[in-house]
Amino acid sequence: MFKTIEWKNNSVVMIDQRLLPTQEVYRKYKDFLDVAEAIREMVVRGAPAIGVAAAMGIALGALDIKTKNKKGFLKTFENVCKVIASTRPTAVNLFWAVERMKGVVRKNPKLNIEELKQRLVQEAKTIHKEDILINKQMGRNGSKFIKSGDTILTHCNAGALATAGYGTALGVIRAAVEDGKKIKVFADETRPFLQGSRLTAWELMKDNIDVTLITDNMAGYMMKKGLIDLVIVGADRIAANGDTANKIGTYSVAVLAKEHKIPFYVAAPLSTIDLKIKNGDKIPIEERDTREVTHIPAPASIKQGKNIQIAPHNIKVKNPAFDVTPNKFITAIITEKGIAKKSFEKSLKGLFGK
Ligand code: MRU
């Protein structure tokens, strides 16, 4: 089995997701600036995996601080956190991880620089380990929504590649398979970055889970034909009222699911829930390079000059990377702490013990 991200001998090793499914290349990072670039360029992507990469990037940055002066250390550490936090705006797991790493420093004012560095490395490793356990618990909580014989539609990649391992939406699917249920998955290809065709299809095939690839515009047809029993997707940020930001195109799938009376589930850890944000209108939506739309396949190849232009030169382009699905389209939100249902506001707060 592949490893999405790992801490190895004071470096961060990540599978380069831009090159999948045709090349399985692992990259080793020793400099936090390169980890920041890897998050921005989507070597690593998916909300929980971005959180883990952010924590490990901060740990690398801390290890590299040369000063013996505590005040100087804290100032440089703040800057490391700032750089990592500036990489991608939508997935709240990034900011959650930055806050957790800052918390290590805040809560241990008596530790010297060397001790702090070791604690920060430890925290990043803990975040990684916890994420896998959380996903497995989420899988167990969500498996009950799946019956043997079901066909599940998913959008983007909310799998092992989007997390430290196992996955959120694909974790629920994996748990159902482990429970002995015979299921089929339809994967939306997920234009423009193709996380569905390049990543979801790849990792489900590796696990021998029955997966069929469709283009995004085929989902409605499949639903009308009665070929989809339920939808499960991941999330990048869930507002206090349950409105959910996820990969662009998720909203259209949710609207279609409602029209066809198909349950629509979101699987996400508590670290993806942002109770500070009241509703989906307030979630920042990342706009990415227009070349993701005008050229194929992935940006890594584009940079190597192997791009194929599929739109006129100088065409005006929009490329929002995420959209927001209003809570009314969501049947339930599956988390490691249990299931949130309508009204989401109360239910989500309850999961945090509030
Ligand atoms: O732009 P990406 O690939 O980082 O977007 C990923 C998604 O939208 C996922 O569905 C989401 O992060 C959930 S991953 C468990």
Side-chain angles (χ1 to χ4, degrees):
M1 193 60 177
F2 61 90
K3 291 227 167 73
T4 303
I5 178 164
E6 240 189 319
W7 181 269
K8 243 184 182 171
N9 308 322
N10 287 349
S11 63
V12 182
V13 179
M14 298 191 267
I15 191 166
D16 189 340
Q17 301 196 29
R18 300 167 307 175
L19 303 180
L20 290 170
T22 48
Q23 293 174 63
E24 234 174 281
V25 175
Y26 287 86
R27 302 206 186 274
K28 192 171 177 178
Y29 298 90
K30 285 192 155 297
D31 187 326
F32 85 97
L33 288 172
D34 296 332
V35 173
E37 182 70 0
I39 297 172
R40 208 173 286 121
E41 289 296 317
M42 291 167 73
V43 169
V44 63
R45 33 66 51 201
I50 291 171
V52 175
M56 290 186 176
I58 290 171
L60 273 188
L63 284 181
D64 217 27
I65 300 174
K66 300 280 184 299
T67 181
K68 301 269 179 272
N69 172 287
K70 182 87 178 268
K71 226 171 156 191
F73 172 84
L74 294 178
K75 197 165 166 228
T76 312
F77 176 75
E78 269 301 314
N79 187 52
V80 168
C81 292
K82 208 165 142 196
V83 169
I84 292 287
S86 71
T87 50
R88 292 191 75 190
T90 305
V92 74
N93 304 62
L94 171 73
F95 308 100
W96 170 89
V98 171
E99 277 315 305
R100 201 160 141 174
M101 296 299 277
K102 280 185 177 176
V104 170
V105 173
R106 209 175 36 243
K107 288 177 199 154
N108 295 290
K110 296 224 163 70
L111 294 187
N112 66 35
I113 293 176
E114 255 340 286
E115 289 165 336
L116 268 181
K117 287 181 177 178
Q118 289 321 310
R119 286 281 182 99
L120 286 163
V121 170
Q122 204 44 52
E123 190 72 0
K125 286 183 181 169
T126 304
I127 290 174
H128 180 270
K129 207 161 92 193
E130 282 175 4
D131 188 56
I132 300 176
L133 298 174
I134 285 169
N135 292 334
K136 293 206 164 151
Q137 187 54 47
M138 202 185 309
R140 280 192 286 276
N141 293 347
S143 169
K144 67 173 177 221
F145 296 115
I146 300 177
K147 295 187 305 300
S148 207
D150 276 351
T151 299
I152 302 151
L153 175 69
T154 190
H155 190 74
C156 192
N157 172 268
L161 285 166
T163 59
Y166 204 70
T168 57
L170 298 193
V172 173
I173 287 168
R174 285 196 165 92
V177 171
E178 284 162 20
D179 288 343
K181 294 171 193 170
K182 295 244 170 308
I183 55 170
K184 291 190 170 132
V185 178
F186 272 47
D188 276 347
E189 79 173 339
T190 318
R191 276 275 295 156
F193 209 75
L194 307 175
Q195 289 94 331
S197 58
R198 295 190 303 102
L199 310 177
T200 295
W202 181 77
E203 71 164 87
L204 290 181
M205 283 178 82
K206 261 192 182 279
D207 263 7
N208 288 320
I209 295 174
D210 188 327
V211 55
T212 302
L213 175 64
I214 58 172
T215 61
D216 301 332
N217 48 5
M218 293 173 189
Y221 174 83
M222 298 299 164
M223 289 184 186
K224 191 147 187 281
K225 283 247 168 205
L227 296 174
I228 308 291
D229 298 294
L230 66 148
V231 179
I232 310 181
V233 297
D236 290 86
R237 194 185 297 226
I238 301 174
N241 71 344
D243 290 353
T244 294
N246 191 47
K247 181 52 53 197
I248 192 77
T250 304
Y251 170 51
S252 323
V253 176
V255 173
L256 281 168
K258 182 131 187 142
E259 172 67 17
H260 294 91
K261 300 186 174 47
I262 295 168
F264 182 93
Y265 297 102
V266 172
L270 293 196
S271 53
T272 302
I273 300 168
D274 187 355
L275 293 182
K276 291 199 294 300
I277 289 208
K278 265 186 140 168
N279 61 56
D281 297 344
K282 308 271 187 311
I283 299 177
I285 300 293
E286 178 182 14
E287 280 273 343
R288 291 190 62 83
D289 193 333
T290 55
R291 286 171 71 90
E292 290 179 3
V293 176
T294 56
H295 293 71
I296 51 168
S301 315
I302 290 172
K303 283 210 168 130
Q304 291 156 13
K306 291 185 199 146
N307 53 321
I308 300 167
Q309 190 177 328
I310 53 165
H313 188 59
N314 277 343
I315 182 71
K316 286 195 276 180
V317 176
K318 284 258 180 220
N319 187 17
F322 303 94
D323 59 27
V324 176
T325 300
N327 60 15
K328 68 174 178 184
F329 294 105
I330 300 169
T331 310
I333 298 172
I334 302 161
T335 78
E336 73 275 26
K337 293 281 181 209
I339 310 299
K341 286 202 167 167
K342 286 165 190 144
S343 89
F344 285 113
E345 191 136 10
K346 206 166 150 220
S347 193
L348 286 173
K349 258 192 190 164
L351 297 177
F352 284 89
K354 290 190 181 174

